[in-house]
Amino acid sequence: MAMPKLAHTPAAQDKLRALGILALNGMFDEMDAVGVLRYAVSDVLPGDLAIVSSFGADSGVLLHLVAQVDPSMPVYFLETGKHFTETLDYVETLKKHLGLINVHAIHPSPEDVKRFDPAGTLWETDPDSCCHIRKTEPLEPITEQYGGWVTGRKRFQTKERGVLPHFELTSDDRIKVNPLAYFTDADVNQYKIDHGLPEHPLFAKGYKSIGCAPCTSVVAEGEDPRAGRWRGLNKKECGIHFDFNGAIASPMTAATKHTLWKDGAFIADPFHEWTEADEPATASYKHVPLPVFLANRDAFLATQHPLGLLVLPGDNVEQVEADLGRFVSVAIKFPAFSDGRGYSTARLLVERYNYANEVRAIGDVLQDQIPLMRRCGFNAFVVTHEPTREALIENRLPEVALFYQPVGVTEIPVGTRPFLRRVH
Ligand code: SF4
């Protein structure tokens, strides 16, 4: 079946839509992985296709296909900083064996890691956020550069992947190519044997699907090969494959799910609510209610885990003045927008106690309050009110030029009316 040559332009995308992704998927035999990849490279997205590889147990198969079709295709490896050393060795082994000449490691932002995962244990408390800062965020600028990318996903791997086609059109008008969609576990193993591919050093030890070391475990005989990933957690994907026409994903949309607004953007929130089941000795990335902290002060001060403090209306932060350095975040609750006590608490922290870490507003946080809150020292906001979220995303916040009470040293009274102050 002859198909027109397509490029990654809006017109080409329209054409692709018109031809129908179904027609494209109908062009190839299920097992024609080379045919799928060759057509993608030469006709669908010439020069505009890249691959993200985990260099895991099965990665050699897809990379071998790439080496046959176009060894100069850009290959990106998410170097999360959490890989087994065996995986890092395997990257070098495969590069050399297959003659791949365009392999790049992508690293998480050091600022994000320092800010959200200073102890390196975020995978334990919040794996979604860990994957977000170590995989999704670093990948975003890369995916923006290409019209599509090649993946090694296969139908047999999980129930969620059971309907995976060769070609997907994503909701942000990119194409994902899955040459191995129909390969079974046995097909993959046979391919490795047939082509003499070097094995990942951990495969023989029972690791069937290999990702970051803390989130990968050995798989028992007969288990789903991906059962060893995030074992015991209700997590199957790292977030970079969700949402495609309702099934698989645009990594660019991930941030929009977050409710923590900080430094001008919605970002992953490493913190969780304190629960009665939490223990002072093991608590990490929890906003500890002030009375709970006071009752267990010694135990909390004895640990190194990142902690936050939760302040409710009526709580007295003076009681923890000496311990403020223990907290990387203070969350101040606004049970109702009309309750102004949180403003005074923030000013006490910032102006009197020189607290310089995160001061976040939680609860009833609305658009009109945010500029006022910022004046009082809040630098982070948990926003669930949808119109406020939209205003923040669209950078629409009301200007507050006039006010009645000056704050800090940057505001001075002007004019002849002493009760009217202006921001400078
Ligand atoms: S797989 Fe685990 S360690 Fe790796 S980024 Fe995700 S949560 Fe973090």
Side-chain angles (χ1 to χ4, degrees):
M1 177 179 175
M3 289 283 281
K5 191 175 177 79
L6 302 175
H8 180 56
T9 62
Q13 295 291 356
D14 287 348
K15 203 162 195 175
L16 188 60
R17 283 186 189 285
L19 285 167
I21 202 84
L22 281 178
L24 190 56
N25 277 309
M27 287 176 58
F28 299 93
D29 290 342
E30 291 183 353
M31 298 302 288
D32 188 7
V34 179
V36 167
L37 188 59
R38 191 161 277 138
Y39 188 77
V41 167
S42 63
D43 290 77
V44 180
L45 290 166
D48 202 11
L49 202 56
I51 169 171
V52 178
S53 177
S54 65
F55 286 83
D58 297 341
S59 298
V61 174
L62 187 64
L63 292 171
H64 181 259
L65 291 172
V66 168
Q68 287 178 73
V69 171
D70 178 9
S72 67
M73 182 188 291
V75 178
Y76 293 96
F77 169 58
L78 286 162
E79 212 316 25
T80 60
K82 294 287 180 187
H83 284 294
F84 293 100
T85 51
E86 287 88 343
T87 299
L88 303 181
D89 293 343
Y90 191 53
V91 173
E92 297 309 314
T93 305
L94 279 186
K95 265 164 66 176
K96 204 162 151 196
H97 184 86
L98 299 174
L100 298 168
I101 56 174
N102 204 359
V103 179
H104 308 269
I106 316 174
H107 300 269
S109 137
E111 290 79 29
D112 276 358
V113 172
K114 194 169 154 201
R115 186 162 137 203
F116 298 116
D117 193 12
T121 53
L122 189 56
W123 62 270
E124 215 171 359
T125 53
D126 186 354
D128 283 341
S129 294
C130 185
C131 280
H132 188 78
I133 63 167
R134 293 178 186 278
K135 294 179 177 177
T136 313
E137 291 277 357
L139 195 55
E140 274 186 21
I142 304 297
T143 54
E144 280 166 6
Q145 295 170 31
Y146 296 95
W149 48 328
V150 184
T151 88
R153 290 171 298 157
K154 302 158 202 79
R155 288 184 166 213
F156 80 90
Q157 287 172 318
T158 61
K159 225 167 42 189
E160 292 77 9
R161 294 181 180 181
V163 293
L164 193 70
H166 280 139
F167 293 92
E168 304 167 296
L169 193 55
T170 68
S171 53
D172 63 346
D173 260 355
R174 286 181 164 77
I175 292 171
K176 281 186 185 171
V177 185
N178 310 305
L180 303 176
Y182 294 87
F183 272 49
T184 63
D185 199 13
D187 294 329
V188 169
N189 289 331
Q190 194 56 50
Y191 190 103
K192 289 191 220 171
I193 294 166
D194 291 348
H195 296 88
L197 297 180
E199 204 68 91
H200 191 295
L202 294 177
F203 185 75
K205 296 181 180 171
Y207 292 86
K208 295 281 172 57
S209 173
I210 303 168
C212 295
C215 304
T216 303
S217 55
V218 169
V219 172
E221 203 57 48
E223 256 191 317
D224 178 333
R226 283 180 66 87
R229 304 288 290 278
W230 301 288
R231 192 181 281 283
L233 297 177
N234 184 23
K235 180 171 168 66
K236 298 267 183 268
E237 306 266 7
C238 59
I240 61 173
H241 292 312
F242 284 119
D243 166 1
F244 137 76
N245 287 346
I248 307 185
S250 154
M252 270 68 81
T253 58
T256 61
K257 292 184 303 189
H258 300 304
T259 56
L260 176 63
W261 191 67
K262 192 169 179 182
D263 299 335
F266 281 101
I267 56 171
D269 186 353
F271 276 90
H272 290 286
E273 273 184 35
W274 175 267
T275 67
E276 283 184 5
D278 285 318
E279 294 289 338
T282 53
S284 179
Y285 288 102
K286 298 276 181 173
H287 280 111
V288 184
L290 189 143
V292 174
F293 176 78
L294 290 174
N296 302 275
R297 182 174 176 275
D298 291 346
F300 281 117
L301 293 181
T303 74
Q304 299 290 319
H305 304 141
L307 277 187
L309 179 72
L310 173 65
V311 181
L312 301 180
D315 284 345
N316 182 1
V317 286
E318 286 176 36
Q319 293 177 290
V320 291
E321 180 189 349
D323 301 321
L324 283 173
R326 177 67 185 84
F327 304 111
V328 293
S329 169
V330 176
I332 300 174
K333 177 102 184 224
F334 287 80
F337 76 92
S338 54
D339 190 326
R341 286 173 286 180
Y343 293 93
S344 308
T345 304
R347 289 190 60 184
L348 263 181
L349 288 172
V350 175
E351 293 174 29
R352 186 176 300 173
Y353 304 140
N354 297 318
Y355 179 74
N357 289 333
E358 180 181 279
V359 182
R360 65 164 69 180
I362 62 173
D364 204 5
V365 178
L366 302 177
Q367 182 179 353
D368 290 349
Q369 297 168 294
I370 291 176
L372 302 169
M373 288 172 163
R374 291 169 88 169
R375 290 183 59 228
C376 291
F378 286 97
N379 52 24
F381 307 85
V382 174
V383 185
T384 53
H385 181 246
E386 203 46 48
T388 302
R389 287 175 53 76
E390 284 168 18
L392 289 168
I393 289 167
E394 292 165 14
N395 200 20
R396 285 188 285 109
L397 281 180
E399 287 281 331
V400 180
L402 301 177
F403 55 93
Y404 294 90
Q405 292 176 306
V407 171
V409 293
T410 59
E411 297 173 354
I412 54 171
V414 296
T416 56
R417 301 163 71 185
F419 54 87
L420 192 64
R421 322 282 175 151
R422 185 174 294 274
V423 177
H424 286 259

